[in-house]
Amino acid sequence: MAIPPLDYIIQTITEKRFLVHSLYSENYLTEVISRKEVREITKNLVYLTLNLPKEKEPIKYLKAISKIDIVDVSKGITKIDNNPYVWTDPLNFRVIVLNVYEEIIKLDTTNQEIYSKNLDKLLSEIDEIFLNTKKDIFTLENYNLYVFDEFWEYYAKRYRLNLFKRDKTYFDAKEIYETILFTREKSIKKLLIDPNDEQKLITFFTSNSETTAIKNNIFTRNWEANINQLTKDIIEK
């Protein structure tokens, strides 16, 4: 499979009955996968993909050297152009869970009753997260956030947050002044970043824009805990 959140789904539903191999770890953004690592996946029956940019070459190689079944578990989700990070939206994640469950049952019907119960429990938890997040976000006085990346676009769209994107560059004096005026005009208090972003850049931006940085890694294995923490950080005053 592609990334740790998919591993989280499988192990939650199957109670760790499946042997799972994630091609990428939680450090997806900085990882370079070798062909040797890709070849190790050929031992598995199925590869679950989310069509991430870094998956293109490994999948092409997998198709060339094996007959492994490659399954798109993002099927059924309406996507934003050029943005594959669909799982930050709880309702999209719910669709992914159902798609993954379909593949689990194909591989093991013996324990379907157990898997079905665990699926229902996981779906209920996702529904609860969706509703609680909606309630929490609606307490905000301002829905504007700065971002350097597009990772949270689906989350923002679901909860009607306004994301203002800035390039990961330093600013000249004029840009600094304009940024300060803009953040005051839009009442922007938070900058949403990936943990891999350069600390000097973050410090420079926050000190000149009067914002607070929120670090969030969407590739973290425990999707539920990560979404809950993201929401908590956004609404925190």
Side-chain angles (χ1 to χ4, degrees), residues 170-181 204 208:
Y170 288 101
F171 313 112
D172 58 27
K174 180 183 178 183
E175 289 172 320
I176 292 171
Y177 178 69
E178 290 175 347
T179 298
I180 292 172
L181 290 182
F204 183 84
N208 285 290

Side-chain angles (χ1 to χ4, degrees), residues 50 74 77-79 83-89 92-93 96 154:
L50 285 163
S74 67
I77 293 173
T78 301
K79 297 179 182 178
N83 190 326
Y85 310 111
V86 295
W87 65 94
T88 57
D89 174 355
N92 286 350
F93 190 72
I96 293 170
Y154 289 92

Side-chain angles (χ1 to χ4, degrees), residues 2-3 5 28-29 50-56 74 77-90 92-93 96 148-158 165 168 194 216-219 223 227 230:
I3 54 172
Y28 167 87
L29 292 175
L50 285 163
N51 296 310
L52 301 177
K54 282 189 170 186
E55 288 187 274
K56 291 180 180 179
S74 67
I77 293 173
T78 301
K79 297 179 182 178
I80 299 169
D81 289 345
N82 300 316
N83 190 326
Y85 310 111
V86 295
W87 65 94
T88 57
D89 174 355
N92 286 350
F93 190 72
I96 293 170
F148 286 154
D149 298 286
E150 65 275 14
F151 302 131
W152 307 276
E153 199 169 352
Y154 289 92
Y155 177 96
K157 184 177 180 180
R158 177 61 62 190
K165 187 176 179 182
K168 296 181 183 181
D194 180 85
N216 180 260
N217 179 7
I218 68 168
F219 301 94
W223 178 88
I227 289 294
L230 171 61

Side-chain angles (χ1 to χ4, degrees), residues 144-149 152 162-168 171 179 183 187-195 197-216 230 233-234:
N144 299 333
L145 296 168
Y146 262 131
V147 293
F148 286 154
D149 298 286
W152 307 276
N162 304 312
L163 301 184
F164 296 92
K165 187 176 179 182
R166 294 300 302 259
D167 293 331
K168 296 181 183 181
F171 313 112
T179 298
T183 54
S187 299
I188 300 174
K189 302 297 183 183
K190 301 288 177 68
L191 167 67
L192 190 51
I193 60 169
D194 180 85
D197 287 331
E198 185 181 348
Q199 187 58 48
K200 287 184 180 180
L201 172 62
I202 296 166
T203 301
F204 183 84
F205 185 88
T206 54
S207 62
N208 285 290
S209 64
E210 301 177 1
T211 59
T212 301
I214 299 172
K215 292 183 179 181
N216 180 260
L230 171 61
D233 289 341
I234 288 175

Side-chain angles (χ1 to χ4, degrees), residues 123-145:
L123 292 177
S124 294
E125 290 171 358
I126 295 170
D127 291 342
E128 185 177 359
I129 287 173
F130 165 69
L131 293 173
N132 286 341
T133 301
K134 183 177 180 180
K135 180 177 67 176
D136 289 339
I137 293 296
F138 283 1
T139 66
L140 289 171
E141 295 178 0
N142 185 280
Y143 289 79
N144 299 333
L145 296 168

